[in-house]
Amino acid sequence: MEPVTALERLVLAYPMRRWNWDALPRNPGVRPEFVISHTEYPWNAEWSIYENPGMTPLWLKEHPDFPMNWNGYSRNPSLTKEFLIENLDKERNCMRLSSSIAITEDIVEELLDDPRAMWNWGLCGLSKNPNISYAFVEKYIDMPWSFGILSKTNQGLNRCIQNVDTVEKSQKRIQSRTSR
């Protein structure tokens, strides 16, 4: 298969460089079909290829012979709610799924009472998911959250705080300039 992206061209032109063969398959600049067709390279794609955003539900439907690793696909950013619901019966990594950026509060709430969803609320699950808000945590305060993780690493919550701080600082700057 011919390279399409700049990164694929680099890999083909310079295969002896010190590439991180574990990370390349998940890189959006490397298409899943490129990895699959170039078996001469030492890809470590067992899990990482499933995190490639190019491996969409549509791609998987178009490649039915591709061996599916549901545990690996649990963290794919292209995972859709419809695809998840269609495949709730598949064995997957609930921790990886719960922390995936593809998982939103709406998806969790819609599947909250479905035992097949098996959300992981703790340390490496929803507590780490960047899409979870303070309001959602408060709404489900009795769930087994990892408050240690929520306290320090929840990027979504921290981003909200930073955005509010930035807006407030900008408004204060504008007010101070206009009041001169």
Side-chain angles (χ1 to χ4, degrees):
M1 166 170 286
E2 291 300 312
V4 172
T5 69
L7 183 53
E8 290 173 356
R9 284 190 290 279
L10 279 172
V11 169
L12 278 182
Y14 305 101
M16 298 312 290
R17 299 293 180 169
R18 294 183 55 170
W19 295 105
N20 181 334
W21 297 102
D22 293 340
L24 277 172
R26 80 172 56 100
N27 189 307
V30 177
R31 296 165 302 125
E33 49 267 35
F34 181 81
V35 174
I36 294 164
S37 68
H38 286 283
T39 57
E40 72 272 20
Y41 298 127
W43 309 107
N44 184 358
E46 185 178 337
W47 279 68
S48 60
I49 194 170
Y50 296 97
E51 293 180 29
N52 187 310
M55 188 171 277
T56 64
L58 178 62
W59 189 94
L60 290 167
K61 287 177 183 175
E62 291 172 351
H63 298 85
D65 295 335
F66 185 75
M68 186 59 173
N69 179 324
W70 290 97
N71 285 327
Y73 198 69
S74 296
R75 289 273 311 238
N76 188 294
S78 300
L79 179 69
T80 63
K81 176 173 72 172
E82 296 75 25
F83 191 76
L84 175 63
I85 290 170
E86 286 172 21
N87 295 286
L88 271 177
D89 59 324
K90 306 291 192 270
E91 188 175 325
R92 68 199 165 285
N93 186 311
C94 297
M95 206 168 8
R96 290 169 61 88
L97 178 67
S98 298
S99 65
S100 171
I101 63 169
I103 299 302
T104 63
E105 294 172 352
D106 294 340
I107 294 173
V108 174
E109 285 189 313
E110 184 172 331
L111 299 173
L112 197 58
D113 295 325
D114 191 325
R116 297 172 303 161
M118 299 188 321
W119 299 113
N120 178 304
W121 296 79
L123 187 62
C124 295
L126 289 169
S127 297
K128 191 176 167 183
N129 186 312
N131 294 318
I132 300 300
S133 68
Y134 286 127
F136 189 82
V137 172
E138 188 171 23
K139 185 175 182 178
Y140 297 101
I141 196 71
D142 292 329
M143 298 311 262
W145 297 102
S146 171
F147 286 93
I149 293 297
L150 287 172
S151 301
K152 62 183 178 179
T153 63
N154 192 295
Q155 299 133 353
L157 300 178
N158 291 335
R159 237 188 336 267
C160 291
I161 293 167
Q162 289 168 352
N163 289 343
V164 168
D165 288 348
T166 303
V167 168
E168 288 175 356
K169 287 176 186 173
S170 297
Q171 288 173 342
K172 286 179 184 176
R173 272 193 225 112
I174 292 168
Q175 287 173 347
S176 70
R177 287 181 186 156
T178 56
S179 63
R180 290 184 189 169

